[in-house]
């Protein structure tokens, strides 16, 4: 894992966008696995400044909240439409999405697993860091799931939105599993935001453990870890 410390969030966003642009120039129709949340928002805004560069790029959604519908303003789908798909002009035929409605969870997991098997590995995988060390919705646990799967969310993850606890079952999400992440050709790992100091400290111990899924990134041969100094 190559670690670069940046002065602030703006510098992190610019650096990340530059790394992506370099890859896309070499492989215009690469498969880009898109994360959501505060960490990549600035990066997406920087990418939009070179919109024409991404006219062939393929995008797959990294994860999605359960309980709330895709049309909810806090869904990953809504976020991506606002910050990535719309600004970069990513057409529907270049975007792979999935639904988290309870009645389709099983079929969606099978469909996306098949898509990744047939179209993967992911060329670029964007990851943020959860306060508890999770990546995507791969939460700390005794064992980690290699496949695209339904993940029961930790309390610290649910805290992002009270609506996630409004269902008749435990809050969940669907996400790319550890195998899909670890087989990616390149990972850009963004560490920014408040309350992540403990997770960063745990990662820097360089000890691989399921109590901190992000620690597994030490085993990947091509990870660019960008750290916003204000986050640590």
């Amino acid at each position: 894992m190559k670690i670069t410390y940046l002065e602030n969030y703006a510098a992190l966003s610019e650096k990340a966008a530059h790394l992506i642009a370099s890859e896309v120039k070499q492989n215009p129709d690469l498969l880009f696995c898109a994360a959501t949340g505060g960490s990549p928002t600035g990066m997406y805004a920087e990418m939009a400044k070179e919109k024409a560069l991404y006219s062939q790029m393929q995008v797959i959604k990294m994860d999605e909240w359960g309980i709330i519908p895709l049309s909810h303003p806090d869904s990953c789908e809504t976020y991506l439409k606002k910050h990535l798909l719309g600004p970069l002009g990513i057409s529907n035929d270049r975007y792979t999405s999935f639904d988290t409605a309870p009645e389709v969870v099983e079929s969606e997991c099978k469909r996306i697993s098949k898509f990744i098997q047939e179209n993967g590995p992911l060329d670029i995988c964007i990851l943020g860091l959860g306060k508890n060390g999770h990546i995507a919705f791969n939460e700390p646990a005794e064992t980690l799931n290699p496949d695209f799967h339904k993940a029961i969310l930790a309390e610290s993850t649910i805290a992002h939105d009270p609506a996630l606890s409004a269902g008749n079952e435990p809050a969940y999400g669907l996400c790319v599993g550890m195998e899909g992440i670890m087989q990616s050709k390149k990972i850009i790992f963004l560490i920014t935001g408040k309350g992540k100091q403990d997770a960063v400290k745990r990662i820097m111990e360089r000890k691989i453990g399921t109590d901190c899924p992000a620690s597994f990134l030490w085993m990947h041969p091509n990870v660019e870890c960008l750290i916003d100094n204000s986050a640590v």
Side-chain angles (χ1 to χ4, degrees), residues 15 19 21 25 69-70 86-87 96 104 107 120 128 132 140-141 144 146 161 163-164 196 214 216:
K15 175 66 174 179
L19 291 171
K25 287 174 182 176
L70 293 186
T96 299
V104 299
S107 61
N132 63 355
L144 301 178
D161 192 336
L164 299 173
K196 300 181 181 179
F216 279 77

Side-chain angles (χ1 to χ4, degrees), residues 13-21 24 32 40-55 57 59 79-90 94:
S13 300
E14 290 177 7
K15 175 66 174 179
H18 175 74
L19 291 171
I20 295 166
V24 173
F32 180 89
T41 302
M43 177 190 76
Y44 293 146
E46 290 295 323
M47 291 170 65
K49 295 178 181 179
E50 295 185 272
K51 177 180 177 180
L53 183 61
Y54 303 99
S55 62
M57 187 174 77
V59 175
Y79 172 97
L80 288 176
K81 287 179 178 179
K82 178 180 179 181
H83 296 288
L84 178 66
L85 305 177
L88 268 64
I90 305 294
R94 292 191 285 125

Side-chain angles (χ1 to χ4, degrees), residues 1-21:
M1 181 152 51
K2 179 183 178 182
I3 299 175
T4 303
Y5 288 87
L6 285 308
E7 182 179 358
N8 50 42
Y9 180 68
L12 176 143
S13 300
E14 290 177 7
K15 175 66 174 179
H18 175 74
L19 291 171
I20 295 166

Side-chain angles (χ1 to χ4, degrees), residues 196-210:
K196 300 181 181 179
Q197 292 88 345
D198 289 345
V200 173
K201 182 179 179 182
R202 170 65 181 81
I203 292 167
M204 295 308 164
E205 293 175 354
R206 294 179 63 98
K207 295 177 180 179
I208 313 302
T210 60

Side-chain angles (χ1 to χ4, degrees), residues 48-111:
K49 295 178 181 179
E50 295 185 272
K51 177 180 177 180
L53 183 61
Y54 303 99
S55 62
Q56 298 178 54
M57 187 174 77
Q58 310 287 318
V59 175
I60 182 172
K61 183 166 59 172
M62 165 73 71
D63 46 23
E64 183 60 85
W65 304 105
I67 308 299
I68 61 176
L70 293 186
S71 58
H72 192 283
D74 294 336
S75 73
C76 298
E77 188 78 7
T78 298
Y79 172 97
L80 288 176
K81 287 179 178 179
K82 178 180 179 181
H83 296 288
L84 178 66
L85 305 177
L88 268 64
I90 305 294
S91 54
N92 288 338
D93 63 315
R94 292 191 285 125
Y95 173 55
T96 299
S97 181
F98 48 86
D99 199 350
T100 56
E103 64 272 15
V104 299
V105 163
E106 184 176 351
S107 61
E108 287 290 75
C109 286
K110 290 179 180 178
R111 180 175 68 86

